Amino acid sequence: MAKEVLYSSTRGALGQIKASEAILRGLAPDGGLYVPDHIPHLEKTLREIAQLDYRETAYEVMKLLLTDYTEEELKYCISHAYDSKFDTEEIAPISEADGAFYLELYHGATIAFKDMALSILPYLMTTAAKKNNVKNEIVILTATSGDTGKAALAGFADVPGTRIIVFYPKHGVSPIQEQQMVTQKGDNTCVIGIEGNFDDAQTGVKKIFTDKELSAELDAKGFQFSSANSINIGRLVPQIVYYVYSYAKLLKEGRIAEGDSINVVVPTGNFGNILAAYYAKNMGVPIAKLICASNSNKVLFDFFQTGEYDRNREFVLTSSPSMDILISSNLERLIYHIAGDNAEKDASLMAQLTQTGKYEITPAMREKLVDFFGGFATEEETAATIKKVFDKTGYLMDTHTAVASSVYSKYVEQTGDKTVTVIASTASPFKFTRSVMNALGKGDESKDDFALADELSAVSGVEIPEAVSSIRTAEIRHKTVVDKTQMQSAVMDFLAK
Ligand SMILES: *Cc1c(COP(=O)(O)O)cnc(C)c1O
């Protein structure tokens, strides 16, 4: 049997815990992120994996990292997560367009790539609770600017032993995103708009999380909080699967030969998705370049360029809002690894980030980043890419994917590198209908987002996804709006039900 993988905090010597415990805790008590003590190599060859379907591939990968789950437990989690909630048997299909392979990660319930991990996290978490004799009901608290909230709601709805509370800025999400959340079904779900912005929501949630008196009070009532954020290792591990799957798929279809390298391009915000690709590479998938694509909030581009991470800059609102972020939490895991799994070094850099908003890595650490390439796309380039690829090939992509596609074109121009390339396609174009229609030159200020979805469907010949059509006339189940100072009492009200 393979060696057990244990997890410890990126920031300190709090000791090692098992995978299921790390999933239950989410964030380490010292504010660090849980990282594996070693990265296991795939046991089957990629040729063998090419014969497996998505669920079987998921098992092959996840069993290596979540070593304290039994075969039966993992297979239970996988079969309940990757089922008819996805609109295709393949779960993560690949489309070829304009010289690249688009790995479509948006065929789940909420039509964004967050579904790939948030469909399985509830099962991993409730299984972990059983394994660790947790008697309390688990209460997932989430602040969202749009995508994570809905994907977490869909994942945890009606999952026994859990409740989920999502706070969103009442005036800060798109109409389709809001409609997706307020129509959410499930007796254990609670969606609350707040009079305040996303930062207020996030600050309020963190305050509730770290309130020791409150947690004791809740414990007495049989509840404990947990997190569905991308800092949870239970979100990262399922994301490694689709990089293994896509390589094996290209191999099976004869697009590459065994041992050939591929490049991967990932539209990046919190650095979770591309970190999963990095882990896949370290598990034995021949990935040459990890191309990190940013929008105008190009902190990561500058970091790969200079070795300095500097969040002291203006926050820009873009047409790819899920990538509008200045602190990429998951980069901390990479920093820890390139420092030689050195928690002390990581902790000191993260302390600098908190105090001054920036830090600089050493030349030795920079050398370990040779496989990464940072790029960014402006708003104009993003829109032009959507139109160019659609006009040329009929393939329609969303704004986030277009950032990646644009960066890829510039990468090829700059390097001449013709390696077979997989672009992570992270959302359906119907989730960001207005921006996509604007990019195609067919925007219309007088129409609402649903009317624009009809037109996008007519223009592209792509059917409106169920996730959009089903909420159009759905009953609005969540109407609570509270001031940002009233978040805690809103939580208590819901838990008293
Ligand atoms: C969350 C998200 C991203 C960014 O992914 P990270 O793992 O945070 O880097 C990109 N595109 C879409 C559509 C997203 O929802």
Side-chain angles (χ1 to χ4, degrees):
M1 224 185 89
K3 189 163 157 251
E4 171 150 42
V5 177
L6 294 170
Y7 292 81
S8 63
S9 166
T10 47
R11 293 191 194 175
L14 287 161
Q16 295 181 314
I17 58 175
K18 292 172 189 290
S20 67
E21 297 171 301
I23 287 173
L24 273 176
R25 290 195 201 170
L27 195 66
D30 61 357
L33 277 60
Y34 285 111
V35 273
D37 64 345
H38 69 282
I39 300 176
H41 201 278
L42 292 170
E43 285 173 352
K44 284 193 165 58
T45 66
L46 286 154
R47 177 65 70 195
E48 286 165 339
I49 292 173
Q51 302 310 315
L52 308 180
D53 68 13
Y54 194 87
R55 281 176 286 270
E56 292 163 338
T57 307
Y59 177 68
E60 272 309 305
V61 173
M62 291 174 64
K63 73 172 187 190
L64 299 173
L65 279 154
L66 306 182
T67 44
D68 72 321
Y69 285 75
T70 65
E71 174 170 355
E72 192 188 355
E73 286 167 344
L74 262 190
K75 287 188 170 166
Y76 162 83
C77 294
I78 289 166
S79 65
H80 284 75
Y82 304 113
D83 61 8
S84 59
K85 289 190 283 299
F86 286 77
D87 67 11
T88 155
E89 265 293 309
E90 282 189 87
I91 307 296
I94 299 176
S95 291
E96 188 181 8
D98 200 25
F101 292 97
Y102 289 84
L103 172 61
E104 296 180 355
L105 305 173
Y106 58 79
H107 289 272
T110 78
I111 58 176
F113 100 97
K114 305 288 194 291
D115 289 326
M116 300 304 296
L118 281 164
S119 318
I120 194 164
L121 183 67
Y123 295 100
L124 293 173
M125 202 176 273
T126 48
T127 303
K130 259 189 226 133
K131 294 172 79 64
N132 291 281
N133 296 313
V134 172
K135 297 279 181 286
N136 287 337
E137 206 169 340
I138 294 172
V139 181
I140 305 292
L141 269 193
T142 312
T144 184
S145 58
D147 283 346
T148 297
K150 177 62 186 184
L153 283 164
F156 279 94
D158 288 328
V159 174
T162 72
R163 296 196 192 191
I164 174 161
I165 305 173
V166 169
F167 290 100
Y168 73 97
K170 175 69 189 161
H171 309 291
V173 298
S174 83
I176 289 190
Q177 284 175 320
E178 179 171 39
Q179 186 74 2
Q180 274 193 314
M181 288 190 279
V182 297
T183 56
Q184 177 66 47
K185 295 189 180 131
D187 290 338
N188 66 337
T189 65
C190 172
V191 180
I192 299 172
I194 66 157
E195 296 292 352
N197 61 27
F198 171 64
D199 281 334
D200 297 324
Q202 181 143 50
T203 306
V205 162
K206 279 194 183 146
K207 223 164 109 191
I208 299 171
F209 253 117
T210 49
D211 186 331
K212 292 214 167 68
E213 266 173 47
L214 179 68
S215 102
E217 188 187 332
L218 286 178
D219 187 52
K221 291 183 173 157
F223 297 111
Q224 72 188 58
F225 290 128
S226 190
S227 159
N229 274 318
S230 71
I231 45 152
N232 195 317
I233 195 78
R235 274 190 59 181
L236 208 52
V237 172
Q239 292 178 182
I240 300 170
V241 174
Y242 47 76
Y243 290 108
V244 177
Y245 179 75
S246 60
Y247 184 94
K249 190 81 195 295
L250 293 175
L251 187 59
K252 186 178 181 183
E253 292 180 352
R255 305 306 190 118
I256 49 176
E258 200 163 8
D260 281 358
S261 289
I262 60 167
N263 290 337
V264 164
V265 193
V266 186
T268 298
N270 228 356
F271 209 75
N273 201 358
I274 193 164
L275 188 73
Y278 171 80
Y279 281 146
K281 177 181 165 81
N282 283 283
M283 291 178 82
V285 180
I287 296 174
K289 285 285 177 206
L290 296 148
I291 300 171
C292 174
S294 301
N295 64 22
S296 304
N297 295 294
K298 57 183 187 60
V299 193
L300 289 165
F301 168 79
D302 293 338
F303 169 72
F304 286 117
Q305 211 70 9
T306 66
E308 184 183 62
Y309 192 92
D310 185 356
R311 62 149 304 185
N312 301 303
R313 62 182 74 204
E314 209 168 320
F315 180 88
V316 190
L317 286 173
T318 73
S319 59
S320 45
S322 302
M323 296 158 68
D324 289 345
I325 192 157
L326 293 180
I327 300 183
S328 298
S329 314
N330 274 293
L331 184 65
E332 180 169 349
R333 287 187 165 112
L334 182 65
I335 296 293
Y336 170 87
H337 291 310
I338 62 172
D341 287 3
N342 184 335
E344 212 176 310
K345 180 70 186 169
D346 177 82
S348 104
L349 293 178
M350 293 308 133
Q352 285 176 43
L353 181 64
T354 306
Q355 283 149 23
T356 65
K358 57 184 181 180
Y359 61 82
E360 189 170 2
I361 60 171
T362 64
M365 288 166 75
R366 276 193 80 179
E367 277 174 28
K368 295 201 183 142
L369 293 179
V370 285
D371 296 335
F372 284 89
F373 178 93
F376 75 99
T378 63
E379 289 294 275
E380 293 73 25
E381 288 170 330
T382 303
T385 297
I386 293 175
K387 184 159 169 54
K388 181 194 80 180
V389 176
F390 180 71
D391 287 349
K392 200 165 151 190
T393 69
Y395 187 72
L396 188 65
M397 69 182 83
D398 95 295
T399 45
H400 302 75
T401 309
V403 168
S405 180
S406 169
V407 165
Y408 175 56
S409 301
K410 289 195 277 186
Y411 169 81
V412 173
E413 218 168 273
Q414 208 174 313
T415 61
D417 183 358
K418 293 282 165 56
T419 303
V420 168
T421 294
V422 168
I423 297 178
S425 177
T426 51
S428 157
F430 286 89
K431 195 151 194 179
F432 301 94
T433 318
R434 188 171 297 276
S435 299
V436 171
M437 285 296 276
N438 285 341
L440 296 176
K442 298 181 189 302
D444 186 341
E445 285 303 317
S446 70
K447 298 212 161 87
D448 74 14
D449 287 44
F450 288 103
L452 285 174
D454 288 333
E455 290 189 13
L456 183 58
S457 176
V459 167
S460 64
V462 178
E463 214 180 308
I464 297 181
E466 162 79 12
V468 173
S469 58
S470 67
I471 58 168
R472 205 163 180 162
T473 54
E475 179 200 356
I476 293 177
R477 299 187 66 245
H478 305 276
K479 295 178 183 157
T480 310
V481 178
V482 302
D483 187 73
K484 63 186 180 192
T485 57
Q486 299 302 311
M487 290 169 59
Q488 184 171 323
S489 50
V491 168
M492 298 312 278
D493 285 350
F494 176 64
L495 295 182
K497 275 181 193 164

